[in-house]
Amino acid sequence: MEKNSITNTICGFPKEGEFLPDIGSDPNFIFVNDASFESVRLIDIDGNIVNVNSWIECAHYVKGGWSTNQDSLITSEYTLFLVLSLSIAFYLGIRVFKRVLK
Amino acid sequence: MITGTKKDKRLSNYFKAVLLSLLAFVPWVWNSTKDTLPLIEVNPASVGYYQTNVCDISFIKLLFSSFFNSSLVLTTTNVENISCVGKIMGMDNINGKIAVYIGTNQVIDILFQSIFWIGLICFIKKDHLNLKSNYLPVLVVPLIFCLQLVGEQRYYLLIHKGYNNTLNLENYYLLNYVLAYLIITLLIKEFVIPRASNLTNYLPFVFLIVGTFNLVNTNIYLIIGSFFGIMRLQKIKIFNTLNLFYFFLSTMWLSLSNYQNSFFDVDKLRGFSNSSSTFSSKLFWIIVVFLTINGLWYLLEISSNTLNLEKLRVNFLMSGAGIIIFGFIGSLIPVANFLNQYYFGQNKKGIDKIFSIDGNTWRGFASSAEAVGEFFAFTLLLNCIILFWNNKSIKLSEVPFLIICIYGLLRANNSAAIISLLIFLIILFMQKKTLISNRGRIYLFISFSLIIGIGTYFIIDYYSYGSLSKGLLFNAFEYSNLFIGAEPYFNNLNYFEDNNIQSILLFNDQGGNVSSSILFLLDKFTPENNMKFIPNPVAIVSFISVIINRSEKWGLFLAKYNPEFNEFLFGYGPVQFNEYYSSSTSTNISGLILPHSSLLNLIIFSGLIGTIFVLAYLIYTIKTYKENGSFIIYLLFFQIVNLLKSDSLAYISSLFLLLFTIYLVNNSSKIFAKKEKVLS
């Protein structure tokens, strides 16, 4: 079975033969609580919180971008900011270096 | 034998091509080494696997393993977490197809798509103009484009959950945008400016490389245009008549607007239309359109010595052929269709079927069949004009491109473009072969008048003058919110048949439900305003609209267009459809239906005053044109005729084409005299 997928990291492993059904096409879908599933608290980018009570419900929310924390999203934007800033600094450095060489 | 320089150039181009191909795939491969799960065959049974394991498998693997899988429909989805860029973010079974969602990030897309397109520009030879730019456009353009992000809040909220328009140094979302735009302007300064005067020869490719960024509502040509626009403003007197007039209109647009923060779904206009009704978004589009037009004009001005008509002619053919060929490939292979959308910057996904009407390959490459039909017809007309001028015939190697362009024109189903092309070609041919003497012109004029007269007689006889003269108003009433909840007997048709149109407004006091434009035209249509022996102007417009199959679309325009007097005078501003679409005077129509006339678009954008100004400028251009045997003026006539019944001016590529044509006409003596000099 898959070991390191994001869904499995957050929600744990599904039961034998369990996988996420096509909920998107079924507006009347009701998540059934799984007594053996330890409730997981998920959070989205706006800070909304939901407690999920089955692996299917958890996987569904994770698929929709929910996570156990917001750090990864904030880190992403910060990382991108650093990469872009360094690229510009690198370019300007080369320009200055070229001018000095002239 | 290949000379050393040619060999070097070829090697350099090969190197550029390899580098560009590698760079182009970076968004899909940079996370591929972190895959935690294997790719399994994509089929309806494995959809659950991909739904469960989101952000775990790279798209690049699917790209190679399922390249010819015809059941896929690939779509990008914005991901906030950059470790999911280039990963499969889900799948769905939809109507027997498998929808695959691929994670992309809007900032990364802007960056890589720009790198790809500027990389393509690098294949153009550097010029000898040695144009220099300071850092002002490099710094100002990113700030202008961030104004859009702040203003079009409702649009960007839809694609990014973490949207934040707070101006502070901890808002990395906004800062990343500023930095991405800054990198693009630096790239323009480094790689585009050294080639600036050669760019015009490659203008036709704006139809092939649409240049709209993935997900966001902007376009690479706006960035490049704004950059050169600022350069131009630094070199010319800013407070000239044209600019002062635009500043005056801008003040009116900004001060007269009711900012309701309404949202306009830009759909096929993505990249060149304001989605929100806010002060900052309106200000952004006013500035950007002004700078882009200035920028394009600047590029045209500096290219007067490097403009190569032969190259331009061939590039038009190649661009047209490219649209058809890539369109066909995209319609056959879903993965190629997806790549087309990303790398050509299409506003909408291309059609994925090849049969019947689906065979039109314009969708995706062009937002409208009319616009692309006009482009193909323009290509053919321009080719004929330049070939006639050079007294050359088309090369054998160009024939396939020509045939493909003719095929494209036929499949675009734009009969107006085809008919006007044929008419201009006949006149051009007769003039070039000096078949038309002065007397011949008179005969030709009489013949045309007779044909039109007889044709009009038969049309009136067939439809009846009554229905022709009222067809436009009837459609306008049909699209208005009238007779709601009334007995079926009370309907527009009965009132129109009884010539009792004014009474429709009195019925249940529903006159308040119709637009101000309908009320205005209805007033002009009443017999009290008729002049002896002069047909009613509303009836003439209605007559024309029925003949050219526009009465329904123009009727809808009248039902929707409900301006206050000031708005009618000055318009709502460039690329502003918000107020027009939020009008409550018409019935709800699903989908984006534009007015189907660039003149009507112009009235929406710049009002009566702006429209009169533009028309006066066109008349001035035509009046000051001196024929030198090139007959380039036919290109302008062709465009004007077609723009009257199409929305092409709402698309950036067609706007560029019109400006380019005006430039050619304004400078024909210089451009074509240069050729004479070379020949002698």
Side-chain angles (χ1 to χ4, degrees), chain A residues 2 4-7 19-22 45-46 55 63-64 72-73 76-78 80-81 84-85 88 91 95, chain B residues 36-37 48 51-56 80-82 92 111 135 160-162 172-173 176 179 182-183 186 190:
Chain A
E2 313 89 39
N4 299 315
S5 83
I6 291 173
T7 313
F19 71 87
L20 188 64
D22 191 1
I45 189 113
D46 299 324
W55 184 89
K63 183 193 159 198
S72 62
L73 304 177
S76 269
E77 290 194 335
Y78 184 63
L80 193 57
F81 173 74
L84 296 177
S85 307
I88 293 168
Y91 166 82
R95 295 289 297 184
Chain B
T36 48
L37 296 173
Q51 285 186 336
T52 313
N53 302 304
V54 171
C55 186
D56 290 319
E80 286 83 16
N81 188 345
I82 55 168
D92 275 319
L111 211 53
Y135 278 93
H160 191 101
K161 287 180 200 162
Y172 295 120
Y173 171 74
N176 285 342
L179 293 179
L182 191 60
I183 291 175
L186 286 170
E190 281 295 316

Side-chain angles (χ1 to χ4, degrees), chain B residues 569-588:
Chain B
L569 277 187
F570 303 109
Y572 300 117
V575 294
Q576 310 290 326
F577 280 112
N578 229 297
E579 290 87 346
Y580 169 70
Y581 267 92
S582 57
S583 158
S584 58
T585 51
S586 74
T587 50
N588 276 333

Side-chain angles (χ1 to χ4, degrees), chain B residues 181-199:
Chain B
Y181 283 126
L182 191 60
I183 291 175
I184 298 168
T185 50
L186 286 170
L187 289 172
I188 293 171
K189 184 174 159 57
E190 281 295 316
F191 300 108
V192 182
I193 287 184
R195 297 164 173 86
S197 74
N198 284 333
L199 288 182

Side-chain angles (χ1 to χ4, degrees), chain A residues 10-57:
Chain A
I10 295 171
C11 308
F13 296 104
K15 288 177 185 168
E16 190 70 32
E18 190 176 39
F19 71 87
L20 188 64
D22 191 1
I23 296 168
S25 60
D26 183 3
N28 301 318
F29 191 90
I30 296 168
F31 293 108
V32 181
N33 284 0
D34 181 354
S36 63
F37 184 84
E38 196 177 324
S39 182
V40 177
R41 190 169 181 261
L42 296 174
I43 188 163
D44 76 351
I45 189 113
D46 299 324
N48 300 311
I49 293 167
V50 65
N51 288 305
V52 289
N53 298 308
S54 71
W55 184 89
I56 290 175
E57 189 179 10

Side-chain angles (χ1 to χ4, degrees), chain B residues 377-612:
Chain B
F378 183 95
T379 299
L380 299 175
L381 187 58
L382 179 93
N383 264 269
C384 290
I385 286 174
I386 295 176
L387 286 171
F388 273 148
W389 167 255
N390 285 336
N391 286 322
K392 281 184 183 172
S393 52
I394 195 158
K395 288 178 195 161
L396 197 64
S397 58
E398 294 163 6
V399 172
F401 296 120
L402 182 76
I403 293 169
I404 295 172
C405 285
I406 293 170
Y407 171 79
L409 173 62
L410 296 174
R411 292 310 298 268
N413 290 328
N414 186 340
S415 41
I418 296 172
I419 293 166
S420 52
L421 172 69
L422 288 176
I423 291 172
F424 284 117
L425 282 180
I426 291 168
I427 297 173
L428 181 69
F429 180 77
M430 290 171 87
Q431 286 207 310
K432 285 305 287 188
K433 297 288 173 189
T434 57
L435 292 176
I436 309 178
S437 59
N438 278 343
R439 184 178 284 183
R441 276 182 196 166
I442 295 167
Y443 286 140
L444 199 69
F445 178 74
I446 294 169
S447 310
F448 263 113
S449 306
L450 271 175
I451 292 169
I452 289 168
I454 294 167
T456 310
Y457 172 78
F458 279 112
I459 288 165
I460 292 174
D461 190 51
Y462 182 78
Y463 285 105
S464 89
Y465 181 75
S467 60
L468 284 167
S469 61
K470 287 182 283 191
L472 180 65
L473 276 177
F474 176 73
N475 278 302
F477 274 84
E478 280 290 276
Y479 279 115
S480 299
N481 285 320
L482 297 170
F483 300 109
I484 296 163
E487 292 291 314
Y489 174 78
F490 295 106
N491 59 49
N492 290 313
L493 187 61
N494 285 341
Y495 281 93
F496 268 77
E497 279 180 348
D498 295 344
N499 274 332
N500 197 14
I501 308 172
Q502 290 281 6
S503 301
I504 296 175
L505 305 180
L506 301 174
F507 181 85
N508 282 351
D509 279 338
Q510 58 183 1
N513 294 352
V514 296
S515 69
S516 52
S517 52
I518 290 183
L519 291 176
F520 176 77
L521 289 189
L522 195 59
D523 184 52
K524 299 287 161 221
F525 190 64
T526 49
E528 299 91 69
N529 289 324
N530 280 350
M531 290 161 81
K532 253 186 178 178
F533 308 117
I534 297 175
N536 186 291
V538 179
I540 295 175
V541 176
S542 176
F543 179 89
I544 296 168
S545 75
V546 175
I547 301 299
I548 62 172
N549 192 24
R550 282 291 174 270
S551 64
E552 201 185 328
K553 299 288 189 292
W554 292 359
L556 177 60
F557 165 80
L558 289 175
K560 268 193 174 304
Y561 187 52
N562 185 33
E564 301 279 326
F565 182 68
N566 284 338
E567 291 168 339
F568 173 64
L569 277 187
F570 303 109
Y572 300 117
V575 294
Q576 310 290 326
F577 280 112
N578 229 297
E579 290 87 346
Y580 169 70
Y581 267 92
S582 57
S583 158
S584 58
T585 51
S586 74
T587 50
N588 276 333
I589 306 292
S590 64
L592 175 64
I593 300 175
L594 294 170
H596 280 70
S597 167
S598 292
L599 186 69
L600 299 181
N601 288 331
L602 203 58
I603 289 172
I604 293 173
F605 297 159
S606 62
L608 184 68
I609 292 179
T611 306
I612 288 173

Side-chain angles (χ1 to χ4, degrees), chain B residues 182 242 271 535 537 660:
Chain B
L182 191 60
L242 265 176
F660 171 67

